[in-house]
Amino acid sequence: MNYIAGEWSASGGGCTYERENPAVPHRVIGEYPESTPADGRRAADAARRAFGAWSGAPAAERTEILVRAADLILRRQTEIAAALTAEEGKPIGRARGEVARAAEALKYFAHGALRSGGQTMQSLRPGVRLATWREPIGPFLAITPFNFPLFIAALKLGPAMASGNTMVWKPSPHTPVVSVELMQAFVDAGLPGGVLNLVMGGSAELGQSLVEDPDIVGVSFTGSTAVGLDIGSRGAARHIRVQQEMGGKNVLVVADDCDLKRAAEVAAESSFGESGQKCTAAGLVVVDRRRGEEFLAEVESILKAMTLGDGADSGTDLGPLVDRTALHRANDLYDRAIDAGAVSELSGCGTSAADADGYFFEPRVVRLPQGEHLLKTQEAFAPILSLVLADDVVDEGLSLVSQCGMGLSASILTDSLSAADDFSRRVSAGLVNVNLPTTGVEYQAAFGGWNLSGGPFPEGGAGAEEFYVRTKTVATASRL
Ligand code: NAD
């Protein structure tokens, strides 16, 4: 169901879509509204009407409601995590972790409402006080992807609503149940009608009409680069602000001094974790040419200990891809990569408990040739570790980052402080990890891709609300 102007409702167009469990596709999870532009229009209108009261409410009141919603999410962690695993496919332990992390993030941003403030400064004029105020702007649109449907929603809805804006939220069509659960938590926490409006559906027409809705004053988008760039140009044409968190092609450099067993563990988590469906997944792993065989042997023993299967089973390490299209795309990319000269090195987990009809893609390791290759530039969004052997791993890693044109996350594994420092300074990416996987995002720090991975506004951290407020300078003379 959609939630618009304080009420649950079907789409006015009457259309629905079915969501299936990607691990067991014959298990249909339910039917959800395939909303139309008219539904989106109603939602934006409701958000506009709710703006005055919500932005004028005491900040403490907004904080209290958001904190209450976060507590409810935590209280319902078991049910929400089970729903997340059933519709998105991630292993249940990771799903529980995401629910908890989303609640924590929401609390962190909720308190931002109280911390928010402007500055005072000396005026050049006698008897004048000069101050800046930071004010909410109006109804924002949040568009979120399927892979972290709760955490990424919390990164957007938290700072936007805490700072006094109202929202239309269009989640991924792949994760309808957890979107309803999150919305319900806000409703139960006492969020006034119209402040947050949930519009479900996946058509480009719906997304585009929301971006172009005259009441929407800004868009926070997370998803693929192609869609993010399209939203950016539509937003620019309307002169509204757009926050884009987009795709990645992330590089992990294994320096010559590091322990290869440990390096293989970090690389496997970076490339295969959540079946590679993370924007920060390591697509490219760079290893010294003389240590390639040894590294592969370590990765092979990790894969042998892994289980591919339904994320609902506690022994599962890797779940399915999110849907049939994602599986076709991954198989097609892999076949084209092999045709283009990639060498298949490893494939599959030690144990497979996967349903034959499920959308499972066995983890693979391929070795890439020198020079250009499609896996050096295209995001796989599947558990494919592309190994690049090099004589100078740091130089090769830096050059791969520039070649792909993206710049989300990069890692170096090394005991050398100077190598780590040099890499961190030179790499063109918004997130750098030293002796850690390329994955792992903390809400209290800024997170934003560079180049084709993002726009000028990062998410997260104490500055998260910057995107959602505008500055007014107020000069006051003590008397006329
Ligand atoms: P997607 O781009 O297909 O969809 C994201 C959202 O955009 C969905 O809600 C979708 O319905 C909506 N959408 C699709 N077409 C649209 C259009 N024309 N106009 C407006 N909205 C539209 O992405 P996905 O498959 O859900 O997620 C995977 C992608 O997201 C990967 O590329 C991944 O790297 C990226 N991602 C980035 C980050 C980050 O923080 N940088 C985080 C997570 C995922």
Side-chain angles (χ1 to χ4, degrees), residues 141 143-148 152 155 170-174 201-209 211 221-228 230-231 234 244-248 277-280 322 329 379 381 408 441 447-449 453-454 459:
L141 168 64
I143 299 183
T144 49
F146 75 83
N147 62 336
F148 288 94
I152 290 174
L155 286 180
K170 201 214 76 59
S172 165
H174 298 319
S203 74
E205 193 195 11
L206 171 65
Q208 288 164 357
S209 68
V211 173
F221 167 82
T222 299
S224 58
T225 297
V227 174
D230 179 66
I231 290 176
R234 286 172 198 276
Q244 298 143 300
E245 307 301 344
M246 305 189 285
Q277 297 180 115
K278 286 187 181 184
C279 55
T280 49
V322 74
R329 203 183 295 133
E379 184 180 39
F381 233 57
L408 190 54
V441 171
F447 172 59
S453 291
E459 288 193 308

Side-chain angles (χ1 to χ4, degrees), residues 99-284:
V99 177
R101 199 49 73 82
E104 285 166 30
L106 203 53
K107 275 192 194 175
Y108 173 83
F109 294 118
H111 290 289
L114 293 169
R115 283 193 300 267
S116 173
Q119 287 180 315
T120 57
M121 61 218 76
Q122 298 298 324
S123 169
L124 302 177
R125 295 166 287 179
V128 171
R129 279 176 294 139
L130 203 54
T132 55
W133 297 355
R134 279 138 52 87
E135 299 189 344
I137 308 172
F140 273 82
L141 168 64
I143 299 183
T144 49
F146 75 83
N147 62 336
F148 288 94
L150 295 165
F151 180 63
I152 290 174
L155 286 180
K156 299 181 190 307
L157 306 182
M161 293 196 291
S163 51
N165 300 284
T166 53
M167 302 289 294
V168 175
W169 174 32
K170 201 214 76 59
S172 165
H174 298 319
T175 52
V177 180
V178 298
S179 307
V180 167
E181 289 282 356
L182 183 55
M183 185 71 241
Q184 188 64 54
F186 284 115
V187 174
D188 295 345
L191 193 73
V195 173
L196 175 61
N197 302 275
L198 171 69
V199 181
M200 305 178 92
S203 74
E205 193 195 11
L206 171 65
Q208 288 164 357
S209 68
L210 281 167
V211 173
E212 290 172 350
D213 190 286
D215 283 332
I216 294 296
V217 299
V219 183
S220 177
F221 167 82
T222 299
S224 58
T225 297
V227 174
L229 293 179
D230 179 66
I231 290 176
S233 48
R234 286 172 198 276
R238 289 195 50 227
H239 193 50
I240 58 172
R241 50 183 73 190
V242 176
Q243 181 174 54
Q244 298 143 300
E245 307 301 344
M246 305 189 285
K249 186 81 215 179
N250 309 297
V251 175
L252 182 142
V253 171
V254 178
D256 305 350
D257 61 359
C258 68
D259 172 56
L260 279 187
K261 183 170 189 307
R262 186 68 199 112
E265 284 165 7
V266 173
E269 171 56 28
S270 302
S271 300
F272 306 140
E274 308 232 357
S275 297
Q277 297 180 115
K278 286 187 181 184
C279 55
T280 49
L284 296 162

